[in-house]
Amino acid sequence: PAYKIAYVAKPIDASQETDNNAQNAASLFAGDSRDEKSFNQNWEKNLKGKGINKLTAADIKPLDFAIQGINGTSRKFIKDIFEADKGDVVGPERVGDSYVVAIVTDISKEGVSSVAHARPAIEPLLRNKKKAELIKKNIGQVTTLEAASAKVSQQIQTVDSVRFSGASNMLGYEPKVLGAAFNPANKGKVASEPIAGQAGVYVLRVDNTTTIPVETASIEDQRKMMENQTRQRIMSQMQYGGGNPFIEPLKKSIKIKDNRAKFF
């Protein structure tokens, strides 16, 4: 048996009554939430149970048109945020299909980042560094893979066909380990000390290295290929808001003050 089906697609749009109710609810919430404490209390008491989420957006820039986590763009909303002070409630503002009420919880001034602001990015790096120091101390002097394996209760693993241009799927992104593997001083023996990598501490033994001849290798062709790749990367950065890597250093050197956020 076979069936022929015809269907008509109709968009699901909020009615004017639904839109008005949402706007009134947002205005009521904003009116009752005049500081961070009352903002959080009102959300916890009146909105959380209705499935209305409280989101946090970090590192909003003066020239942004959209806020991460909110569908839609609103240049006016972002300008209002930058005109507010810490602790001010902003909104309600229509962004996409939603009415948004925000509170400014922190303002990052130009210059050296505060400890609290930098901590989420720096703390994991320092913690991993400290862990690596403890693991390396526990391993001690490296003599054989078997001795190191017994100290940390880890199995010895073999990684084959590692290329200098990139590691294998098993090894992942570990540039220090890759560099040690291709260091001629380590060929045929165990590396003299443990290596603190991105995802762990490694004890390395290089069993063998080989070279693969490339008959059609051409330095000129490789130069052109790298030049084209660099040009494409620069164009992609400019297209998606990364800025022109040649213009940015010039702007910093002559101390241009960007006031576009005040007019656009």
Side-chain angles (χ1 to χ4, degrees), residues 1 20 26 31 39 54 65 69 92 94 98 101 147 152 161 166 195 217 220 233 237 249 253 263:
N20 292 339
F39 184 97
K54 180 177 66 174
F65 278 81
R94 178 73 177 264
S98 304
V101 179
V152 295
S161 302
I195 303 167
E220 182 61 24
R233 185 170 63 253
Q237 290 175 353
S253 65
F263 303 99

Side-chain angles (χ1 to χ4, degrees), residues 198-209:
Q198 300 285 333
V201 175
Y202 299 84
V203 176
L204 176 72
R205 185 181 69 204
V206 182
D207 290 336
N208 192 22
T209 59

Side-chain angles (χ1 to χ4, degrees), residues 3 15 31 48 54 57 64-65 69 80 103 110 116 126 139 142 157 185 188 194 196 209 219 231 238 243:
Y3 297 88
S15 67
K48 184 178 180 180
K54 180 177 66 174
D64 286 349
F65 278 81
D80 290 344
I103 184 168
E110 184 177 2
L126 297 179
I139 294 174
V142 177
Q157 299 184 45
T209 59
I219 295 178
R231 184 180 292 110
M238 295 173 62

Side-chain angles (χ1 to χ4, degrees), residues 146-220:
E146 290 74 16
S149 172
K151 284 186 178 181
V152 295
S153 301
Q154 294 290 327
Q155 293 182 349
I156 298 175
Q157 299 184 45
T158 302
V159 182
D160 194 10
S161 302
V162 176
R163 295 178 178 271
F164 188 73
S165 58
S168 66
N169 292 333
M170 182 181 292
L171 185 59
Y173 179 70
E174 293 291 355
K176 290 184 179 180
V177 180
L178 191 65
F182 283 88
N183 184 351
N186 294 329
K187 184 177 180 180
K189 61 181 182 180
V190 178
S192 59
E193 63 179 30
I195 303 167
Q198 300 285 333
V201 175
Y202 299 84
V203 176
L204 176 72
R205 185 181 69 204
V206 182
D207 290 336
N208 192 22
T209 59
T210 58
T211 57
I212 301 175
V214 181
E215 297 179 358
T216 59
S218 169
I219 295 178
E220 182 61 24

Side-chain angles (χ1 to χ4, degrees), residues 39-149:
F39 184 97
N40 292 327
Q41 287 178 344
N42 288 337
W43 174 78
E44 189 79 28
K45 180 180 178 181
N46 301 318
L47 300 182
K48 184 178 180 180
K50 298 179 181 179
I52 298 177
N53 297 324
K54 180 177 66 174
L55 306 175
T56 300
D59 296 328
I60 301 173
K61 305 294 190 302
L63 290 172
D64 286 349
F65 278 81
I67 297 177
Q68 185 178 2
I70 302 177
N71 294 325
T73 60
S74 177
R75 178 66 192 143
K76 178 182 178 302
F77 187 45
I78 293 175
K79 291 183 68 174
D80 290 344
I81 291 173
F82 273 86
E83 291 174 358
D85 296 322
K86 183 177 180 178
D88 287 353
V89 175
V90 183
E93 179 73 23
R94 178 73 177 264
V95 182
D97 294 330
S98 304
Y99 285 97
V100 181
V101 179
I103 184 168
V104 180
T105 57
D106 190 25
I107 297 176
S108 300
K109 299 293 184 181
E110 184 177 2
V112 178
S113 177
S114 66
V115 174
H117 187 265
R119 181 169 183 168
I122 301 301
E123 187 175 30
L125 301 178
L126 297 179
R127 185 184 293 114
N128 287 343
K129 182 179 179 181
K130 189 66 176 178
K131 288 180 179 179
E133 291 174 355
L134 294 174
I135 295 172
K136 290 175 66 175
K137 184 178 179 180
N138 180 39
I139 294 174
Q141 182 67 33
V142 177
T143 54
T144 64
L145 291 186
E146 290 74 16
S149 172

